[in-house]
Amino acid sequence: MIKDMDKEMYPRYELSKLLNITYSTKLVKILNEYNINPISKDTRNIEYYKKSDTEKLLKIQSELYEYYQTNFVTYNEGIRLGVSAHSLSLSNPTELPIIARVKKYCNIRTVYEKRLVNVALERKALLNNTSYYTRREVSLLFKVVCIERFLKSNNVEPIIINSKSGSYNRWDKNEIDSLFKRREKLYNYYDQNHLTYKEVSKLLNVKMVSSYTIKSNGLILDELPSLAKFNRFKKTKVAFRKSSIDKYLKAKKEKGEKRQEAKGKKKYLNLKESKSKRKDFILKKGKSGCQFIEEGNLKNKHLLLRDISKVLGLSKELVVLALQENEITPRHVISNVKWYSKDEIYKLKEAQNSLLTKFENEYMTFIELRSLNISGNSIQKFTARDLPRLIKIGKFKNSKVVYPKNSVDEYMSQMRREQLQKEITKDIALPYATYERLIVALEISFSANAPLTQKYWFSYVQQILNKTKGNKQSVKKQIIRFASITKLIANITKSKEIFSYSVKELNLLLFNHEIFLEYQMTLFSFFNAINNAMPTALIGVGKINNPYEVKRRKGIGKKEVYSPTEFIELLDYIKDIKLHKHNAIKDINSALNDRDTYKKYDSAWLYVLLHMNNGWRASDFAYKIPRLDLPDKIRSISDFENTNLGLEDARYIVVQLSSKLQSLKHTKNQKTNYFFCSDELIPPLANALIICELRTRLLGTNKHYLIDFMNQRNEMLKGTHDSLFTNFKKNFIFGSLKMNRTFIGLMTDVVKKKTKRNPLEISKFIRNHSDLDTTNTYIDIPKEHVDYIASQLFDKGYFGYTYDLFSKVLLGETSISSDDPLRKSAVIKDIFGDIYKIENLARYINVIEQEDEDLFHYLNGHSENALQEKMLLLNFGQLPAKEANYQCIYGKCIFLDRDCNKCPFAVPHFYALTKIAANMEKRIIDYLEIHENSKYLGEKVRISNLLFSDLIVLSHAKQKFGADVLSAFIKIEYDDLKEQISALPSPYEYITIERG
């Protein structure tokens, strides 16, 4: 507390001095924050404050200052302690209260929690400890991803180090270094003394080294130790001992030379008279005539081709070509034998050694690239260079071209980054935490010169990732994209903050054709976020090259759709059961012999079939089509190959799928994802589902979902696509989003042509596509195709007395006869007559049938056109009721206290059966409980009415869809349900006339 607080009130300037707040704006904010008001003003308009208020502010300031000094550090304090800017940003950045911004906090706005800073320091010290290696350091050292398993197999165990912040696995540096040296020594030994099967096959110019060649020529195979299995030996179990190969090649060469020598002897001149002279002289023919040259002098200064071959280590054919390339010609030609200058040849040898060193340092062979697990397709992307013939020795012996080592290193570095990304992004339960792990692993960090850029960028990323609702793949992609942009921002802010750059500089650095448009759009949004967080805009975004405008001008994202004719052609093609069933089964059988030949035809067929009737996102198809139970008669792919699936079995399969998909949500907006299959597509869809289920069992993929394209994103790749559409029209490309837009566009046009409703609002409502922008998706369906396309797109899964009566009235029926199957009594006698004596219900039935009679007259009171439109709207799902999966033909509820399942104007949908069945199970239990224990008549009446109303709805469903289909959907055998009901105490005396 400040001494000499003896005044009763203090003028504002003294209050400012006591608080050590010199800026009037700060003082105003403090006074407002703590609701301190002046008690008077003097003639000079100076405000005065009460002593008690002044003491209150001083006490608050003292306590807050002490608290933050004890528990927090400033940015500069953290940096001096050795904490990185990134670690500080993760240490609970906290805004200082204005009243505490005095003394050392005078110009400080943000402080960082000391406890977390100490944890960061402790972790840094631990990581910098030269006695240990971290997991990542060991992984990079050995270039092994699953490093724990690798080390354990070599008897190296981790050291568990405990600290305040948690436990860490570390490895003893001496032990790791020793293992690394041992591995390098072991590898070098096998690298120098052994050859792989592929290398020997190429050396011997055979496809594969046969066991006969190995045994008959004494070729020796050695088993490789696991520690040496990397680089060129990565996938090698045994390797040939190089000495045995050299011995074999030497013997082979000697045989060839002996044969050649035998031929050469025949060419020698048989000059008997000059035998003794020929030992010392060689006859040379020249322009000036014949002359003898002393053989000793010739051999001292010249070499023959075979000698040059030994000097250069090249075959005679390559020697000839190498000499031509280097413009070296023979000095003498004697009896057709060419002699070359030794000086020139040894200079060529020096050039060979120099060139060989250069290429060994700067280039790699195809075999070396394959030993690094680089695919052939990836190798083709490298710029190949023709290998000079002069250095086709050693590892270059069988190579025609070589590849730049710097390109390979860059590729391998990229592969390691991608592998790291895959490992880290496996768990994205907390997207921002995954992003943080990723940038640390990729060693991306901001400079100390850009703390504010770092703060605002991390805050922006956190805000976006915390709100993301995409599927797993899209979230992964977003995290990786943010990491890449972080690297980009960190690189350009090494010297100063991002907002210290001029607009011109930002356009040159970030908003140009070399930066991905998606990155530019993210950065543009980020800059807007910075401006919104500041009192005044720091970045002139109005003058930045707007990437959204660039996208608009280029027409990127133009909404392409299939024409109605293309849709119908595709529908006709994809429903061809005979063609696709044969091709899918053939593909699966092929996969049993060779998995690499598998085209995933069955998954592609199912994938496209589902798209034809459902406007879902691709990921909803890829990850949410569940496994199915098959009928007992379908046990194997061979059995099903010769089986023609009946319509009832097909319906059973599709209904089972429908039942399992009821809880399906859109991955993006989490709205209900209703499943629909038109009558025409039930048989092909059922066949595709069965084949996919059999394939899943047969190939043992152990998947939870039926569509399996066997790649990381589970997406249909080009090979699979082309396999499915090989018999369709040329150049056709199937696109998921394009089909979704087509689906919405077709629905919109059907609604527009057949009703008076707003087609855009209806199309969004029908399939819950509020997240899909369809503003510019227009399709004009020819008149002759409207009804057919409507039958493929809109759900007719409605049933029941009201729906059937509606159809009856539309057909012109004007009355209901006593034996009409629509009558409730007929339905109940047909379905439940074997359980209850129907006469006991006569009074109740008379009342509900009177209501049905009223409904009949209500419908007859409308014109045919009005009824037609109402029936269309009902089938389009545009007459919603109070309860889900019901439609109200009245259009507006007039029985507010009545449940839909007891209302004559409500039409149930097939999906309503699940809820009804679930209610039935509960109501049977409640029914028994109430009838046995309750003393209240009202409870018995209520539960009896509810039970009986549900029975009527289920009876209509059974009548329309059949007992098997109904049982599959409600997940209880229909006959079992009847038995449960028949065992209940009689409900008749409690069923009332009132239906509410």
Side-chain angles (χ1 to χ4, degrees):
M1 184 68 65
I2 303 296
K3 295 181 180 180
D4 303 324
M5 292 291 294
D6 54 351
K7 298 181 181 179
E8 292 301 320
M9 57 183 182
Y10 290 84
R12 183 164 167 173
Y13 62 84
E14 285 193 19
L15 177 60
S16 177
K17 287 181 180 179
L18 288 170
L19 292 172
N20 201 17
I21 304 293
T22 56
Y23 294 101
S24 60
T25 52
K26 280 188 177 182
L27 185 60
V28 170
K29 288 180 181 178
I30 292 170
L31 295 172
N32 290 335
E33 182 180 356
Y34 295 101
N35 197 26
I36 305 296
N37 298 311
I39 56 174
S40 66
K41 287 185 181 180
D42 62 16
T43 55
R44 291 175 297 172
N45 217 26
I46 295 175
E47 297 173 343
Y48 287 80
Y49 295 86
K50 286 193 301 184
K51 177 181 179 180
S52 58
D53 287 339
T54 304
E55 290 176 338
K56 173 185 173 183
L57 289 177
L58 289 170
K59 183 180 179 183
I60 291 171
Q61 185 184 60
S62 176
E63 290 175 352
L64 285 176
Y65 186 87
E66 183 64 27
Y67 170 76
Y68 282 99
Q69 188 177 34
T70 304
N71 297 293
F72 290 82
V73 299
T74 65
Y75 180 85
N76 288 335
E77 286 173 338
I79 295 297
R80 282 198 296 271
L81 287 169
V83 182
S84 68
H86 173 64
S87 295
L88 277 175
S89 71
L90 302 177
S91 300
N92 187 23
T94 303
E95 187 172 348
L96 267 173
I98 296 174
I99 196 171
R101 295 178 193 175
V102 294
K103 299 179 184 177
K104 76 170 186 176
Y105 297 133
C106 184
N107 296 312
I108 303 297
R109 183 169 183 166
T110 304
V111 289
Y112 307 87
E113 193 171 342
K114 189 179 289 184
R115 177 182 61 84
L116 297 176
V117 169
N118 289 335
V119 169
L121 285 170
E122 190 178 276
R123 184 171 182 273
K124 181 181 178 183
L126 184 65
L127 294 176
N128 290 338
N129 191 325
T130 55
S131 300
Y132 303 109
Y133 277 127
T134 65
R135 182 193 181 282
R136 183 170 179 276
E137 287 170 338
V138 181
S139 182
L140 289 174
L141 184 65
F142 287 97
K143 296 179 183 178
V144 174
V145 176
C146 301
I147 194 65
E148 285 88 354
R149 187 169 60 189
F150 170 78
L151 293 175
K152 192 170 184 179
S153 67
N154 288 283
N155 301 316
V156 179
E157 295 293 337
I159 298 169
I160 300 173
I161 298 177
N162 296 308
S163 68
K164 293 178 182 178
S165 57
S167 298
Y168 300 92
N169 276 0
R170 294 292 180 267
W171 284 266
D172 183 88
K173 188 174 183 181
N174 293 331
E175 197 172 2
I176 293 298
D177 289 344
S178 174
L179 179 65
F180 183 78
K181 288 177 183 177
R182 184 153 51 95
R183 186 174 84 148
E184 290 296 304
K185 187 176 180 181
L186 198 61
Y187 177 82
N188 289 335
Y189 170 77
Y190 282 96
D191 186 46
Q192 292 171 12
N193 297 292
H194 289 77
L195 296 168
T196 65
Y197 256 96
K198 283 187 178 180
E199 291 167 345
V200 172
S201 298
K202 287 204 170 188
L203 197 62
L204 302 182
N205 197 23
V206 294
K207 286 187 177 180
M208 187 174 179
V209 185
S210 67
S211 56
Y212 173 78
T213 302
I214 296 171
K215 291 179 181 177
S216 60
N217 293 284
L219 302 184
I220 301 172
L221 281 168
D222 290 329
E223 186 174 349
L224 286 173
S226 61
L227 196 58
K229 291 179 182 177
F230 67 100
N231 286 357
R232 57 187 281 246
F233 298 126
K234 189 166 185 178
K235 294 184 178 180
T236 304
K237 292 183 178 179
V238 293
F240 288 92
R241 198 177 293 176
K242 194 182 287 185
S243 58
S244 69
I245 298 295
D246 291 340
K247 185 177 179 182
Y248 167 69
L249 290 174
K250 185 179 179 181
K252 190 177 179 182
K253 183 179 179 182
E254 286 174 352
K255 286 180 183 177
E257 286 179 348
K258 284 180 181 178
R259 285 196 298 269
Q260 194 68 25
E261 188 178 348
K263 290 180 182 179
K265 283 180 180 179
K266 294 178 182 179
K267 295 180 180 180
Y268 289 157
L269 295 173
N270 188 16
L271 300 174
K272 294 182 180 180
E273 65 279 23
S274 57
K275 268 186 180 181
S276 59
K277 189 176 284 188
R278 281 182 56 80
K279 292 178 183 177
D280 303 309
F281 294 90
I282 294 175
L283 180 65
K284 176 186 177 184
K285 292 181 180 180
K287 292 181 180 179
S288 58
C290 296
Q291 58 181 332
F292 286 98
I293 298 176
E294 189 177 350
E295 186 177 4
N297 290 335
L298 188 66
K299 287 184 177 180
N300 286 337
K301 296 182 179 181
H302 298 81
L303 292 172
L304 296 171
L305 280 176
R306 65 171 178 267
D307 300 319
I308 299 172
S309 178
K310 292 177 182 178
V311 171
L312 298 179
L314 298 171
S315 68
K316 288 183 180 179
E317 292 79 8
L318 282 174
V319 166
V320 172
L321 293 170
L323 293 174
Q324 288 175 357
E325 281 182 353
N326 290 274
E327 299 180 351
I328 296 176
T329 56
R331 290 296 180 91
H332 305 289
V333 179
I334 303 170
S335 300
N336 292 326
V337 177
K338 297 175 181 179
W339 294 83
Y340 293 82
S341 168
K342 268 188 181 182
D343 290 341
E344 285 186 305
I345 297 305
Y346 282 111
K347 284 181 181 178
L348 185 62
K349 177 64 179 177
E350 290 177 8
Q352 183 191 49
N353 291 337
S354 176
L355 196 59
L356 191 60
T357 300
K358 174 181 171 62
F359 271 73
E360 283 179 338
N361 291 334
E362 297 179 9
Y363 294 92
M364 299 180 74
T365 65
F366 181 87
I367 291 175
E368 287 178 314
L369 296 189
R370 292 297 287 126
S371 72
L372 295 174
N373 281 337
I374 302 176
S375 68
N377 288 335
S378 298
I379 291 174
Q380 290 177 9
K381 297 175 184 177
F382 297 133
T383 302
R385 174 174 176 176
D386 290 333
L387 185 72
R389 294 184 176 94
L390 185 60
I391 58 171
K392 287 195 173 186
I393 58 175
K395 73 173 186 179
F396 297 123
K397 187 169 185 176
N398 297 305
S399 299
K400 291 183 178 180
V401 295
V402 287
Y403 305 89
K405 189 174 284 187
N406 57 357
S407 298
V408 176
D409 290 341
E410 186 178 334
Y411 172 83
M412 292 303 295
S413 177
Q414 177 63 23
M415 289 301 101
R416 283 192 289 273
R417 286 197 298 271
E418 290 180 6
Q419 183 62 34
L420 205 57
Q421 289 173 357
K422 287 179 184 177
E423 290 293 319
I424 291 172
T425 55
K426 280 181 181 177
D427 177 17
I428 57 166
L430 297 171
Y432 183 68
T434 304
Y435 160 78
E436 288 182 309
R437 291 197 302 274
L438 183 58
I439 63 171
V440 169
L442 295 176
E443 298 180 344
I444 301 170
S445 61
F446 280 86
S447 152
N449 295 317
L452 291 178
T453 303
Q454 174 182 298
K455 173 188 174 182
Y456 286 115
W457 172 246
F458 285 151
S459 175
Y460 175 78
V461 174
Q462 187 172 21
Q463 185 180 8
I464 298 298
L465 290 178
N466 284 347
K467 292 192 297 186
T468 188
K469 293 182 180 178
N471 62 60
K472 188 174 182 180
Q473 291 303 323
S474 66
V475 174
K476 278 186 181 181
K477 184 178 178 181
Q478 194 174 29
I479 290 170
I480 293 170
R481 182 168 66 246
F482 272 135
S484 299
I485 298 173
T486 305
K487 184 176 181 180
L488 181 65
I489 299 174
N491 282 340
I492 70 166
T493 56
K494 287 180 179 178
S495 59
K496 59 183 178 180
E497 299 279 10
I498 191 75
F499 37 77
S500 297
Y501 285 95
S502 67
V503 170
K504 183 178 179 181
E505 288 174 323
L506 290 174
N507 281 333
L508 288 171
L509 290 169
L510 298 174
F511 297 92
N512 59 71
H513 67 279
E514 294 182 357
I515 305 296
F516 291 128
L517 195 60
E518 275 190 350
Y519 290 13
Q520 293 184 44
M521 291 162 69
T522 300
L523 288 165
F524 193 81
S525 299
F526 168 55
F527 290 166
N528 275 311
I530 290 180
N531 285 344
N532 292 336
M534 296 292 181
T536 57
L538 294 179
I539 301 173
V541 292
K543 295 181 181 179
I544 285 177
N545 300 330
N546 190 330
Y548 292 95
E549 181 63 23
V550 174
K551 180 178 179 180
R552 187 192 66 78
R553 285 200 309 270
K554 289 183 177 180
I556 298 173
K558 185 179 178 182
K559 298 176 176 62
E560 294 183 353
V561 295
Y562 298 108
S563 68
T565 303
E566 284 179 308
F567 178 80
I568 293 171
E569 287 174 346
L570 178 58
L571 196 66
D572 289 339
Y573 175 72
I574 209 67
K575 71 182 183 183
D576 187 339
I577 297 173
K578 185 177 180 181
L579 170 69
H580 298 300
K581 179 179 177 181
H582 169 75
N583 289 344
I585 293 176
K586 181 181 176 183
D587 186 35
I588 294 170
N589 287 332
S590 175
L592 292 174
N593 298 321
D594 183 358
R595 188 67 66 92
D596 291 339
T597 65
Y598 181 42
K599 296 294 185 183
K600 284 71 79 173
Y601 192 103
D602 54 320
S603 289
W605 185 28
L606 176 58
Y607 180 73
V608 176
L609 274 169
L610 290 166
H611 267 89
M612 303 308 295
N613 280 170
N614 300 279
W616 302 351
R617 302 175 71 82
S619 55
D620 290 328
F621 292 116
Y623 292 103
K624 294 184 179 177
I625 305 303
R627 301 281 300 273
L628 299 174
D629 301 319
L630 302 182
D632 292 338
K633 58 187 175 184
I634 301 175
R635 298 183 179 179
S636 67
I637 202 84
S638 56
D639 289 342
F640 186 61
E641 187 173 8
N642 301 313
T643 300
N644 291 322
L645 194 67
L647 184 58
E648 284 305 310
D649 286 334
R651 286 188 184 279
Y652 173 82
I653 294 294
V654 174
V655 166
Q656 186 187 158
L657 175 66
S658 178
S659 173
K660 292 187 176 187
L661 289 175
Q662 286 179 88
S663 58
L664 186 62
K665 302 287 185 182
H666 282 290
T667 52
K668 185 170 183 179
N669 62 12
Q670 294 303 303
K671 292 189 177 182
T672 302
N673 224 350
Y674 292 111
F675 166 74
F676 171 57
C677 178
S678 65
D679 291 342
E680 197 168 353
L681 288 186
I682 287 176
L685 182 62
N687 275 271
L689 287 165
I690 290 171
I691 292 173
C692 284
E693 174 60 36
L694 290 171
R695 177 259 304 152
T696 305
R697 299 177 186 182
L698 192 61
L699 297 185
T701 50
N702 194 27
K703 298 284 186 180
H704 297 295
Y705 308 112
L706 290 184
I707 293 177
D708 186 8
F709 291 118
M710 297 185 182
N711 54 61
Q712 187 184 5
R713 296 186 177 181
N714 202 19
E715 58 187 2
M716 183 166 63
L717 301 180
K718 187 177 185 300
T720 301
H721 174 282
D722 293 349
S723 174
L724 178 66
F725 292 109
T726 188
N727 295 306
F728 196 44
K729 60 183 184 180
K730 289 184 179 179
N731 301 321
F732 174 80
I733 298 176
F734 179 83
S736 175
L737 186 57
K738 187 174 180 179
M739 179 53 74
N740 274 358
R741 291 197 179 107
T742 303
F743 187 85
I744 295 296
L746 291 172
M747 284 198 300
T748 301
D749 198 55
V750 167
V751 173
K752 183 171 66 176
K753 284 182 166 64
K754 298 184 77 68
T755 75
K756 296 177 183 178
R757 293 288 184 98
N758 181 328
L760 184 59
E761 290 305 314
I762 287 179
S763 67
K764 285 186 177 182
F765 178 82
I766 289 172
R767 297 297 177 189
N768 273 330
H769 271 278
S770 59
D771 65 313
L772 182 61
D773 180 14
T774 60
T775 309
N776 297 316
T777 306
Y778 299 119
I779 299 178
D780 185 19
I781 305 173
K783 188 176 180 180
E784 63 271 19
H785 294 324
V786 172
D787 289 336
Y788 176 69
I789 289 178
S791 70
Q792 300 301 319
L793 302 180
F794 291 97
D795 196 346
K796 300 185 186 68
Y798 296 97
F799 70 95
Y801 171 80
T802 304
Y803 189 77
D804 293 338
L805 178 62
F806 208 146
S807 303
K808 188 180 179 75
V809 172
L810 277 172
L811 292 173
E813 301 288 344
T814 57
S815 63
I816 302 176
S817 61
S818 58
D819 60 346
D820 196 310
L822 286 183
R823 295 182 71 88
K824 290 290 193 302
S825 58
V827 171
I828 296 167
K829 284 178 182 176
D830 178 50
I831 306 301
F832 298 107
D834 56 337
I835 300 177
Y836 302 127
K837 294 179 179 178
I838 206 69
E839 56 270 16
N840 291 337
L841 300 173
R843 201 158 159 248
Y844 178 73
I845 291 170
N846 287 338
V847 172
I848 62 174
E849 289 202 337
Q850 180 58 51
E851 288 187 345
D852 295 339
E853 193 77 34
D854 295 340
L855 173 63
F856 182 81
H857 291 306
Y858 167 79
L859 294 173
N860 269 315
H862 288 73
S863 67
E864 183 179 349
N865 287 340
L867 289 176
Q868 288 281 6
E869 181 165 335
K870 196 174 280 289
M871 178 61 99
L872 276 171
L873 292 172
L874 192 150
N875 284 332
F876 291 173
Q878 298 307 300
L879 297 173
K882 291 187 300 184
E883 297 179 34
N885 301 317
Y886 279 89
Q887 294 281 304
C888 180
I889 64 168
Y890 191 80
K892 184 179 181 182
C893 182
I894 58 174
F895 303 109
L896 297 177
D897 296 328
R898 178 179 293 179
D899 293 336
C900 289
N901 67 326
K902 294 179 286 181
C903 179
F905 291 98
V907 179
H909 184 272
F910 192 64
Y911 281 117
L913 296 176
T914 300
K915 183 179 178 183
I916 292 169
N919 288 343
M920 288 284 286
E921 291 185 37
K922 183 176 182 300
R923 282 171 185 165
I924 288 172
I925 296 170
D926 292 345
Y927 186 93
L928 285 169
E929 177 70 22
I930 290 170
H931 276 261
E932 289 177 5
N933 301 318
S934 179
K935 298 178 181 179
Y936 300 103
L937 178 63
E939 287 188 2
K940 294 182 179 180
V941 168
R942 176 181 169 278
I943 195 65
S944 299
N945 285 346
L946 289 172
L947 182 62
F948 191 74
S949 298
D950 286 341
L951 287 175
I952 291 176
V953 177
L954 284 180
S955 69
H956 280 289
K958 184 261 184 183
Q959 194 176 47
K960 179 169 183 177
F961 303 113
D964 289 342
V965 171
L966 180 61
S967 299
F969 195 80
I970 65 176
K971 299 176 183 176
I972 183 173
E973 288 295 326
Y974 183 68
D975 290 337
D976 292 346
L977 182 62
K978 287 174 65 175
E979 285 185 17
Q980 288 184 42
I981 296 169
S982 66
L984 297 175
S986 174
Y988 310 133
E989 59 182 296
Y990 301 110
I991 294 177
T992 63
I993 294 176
E994 297 178 6
R995 296 191 65 193

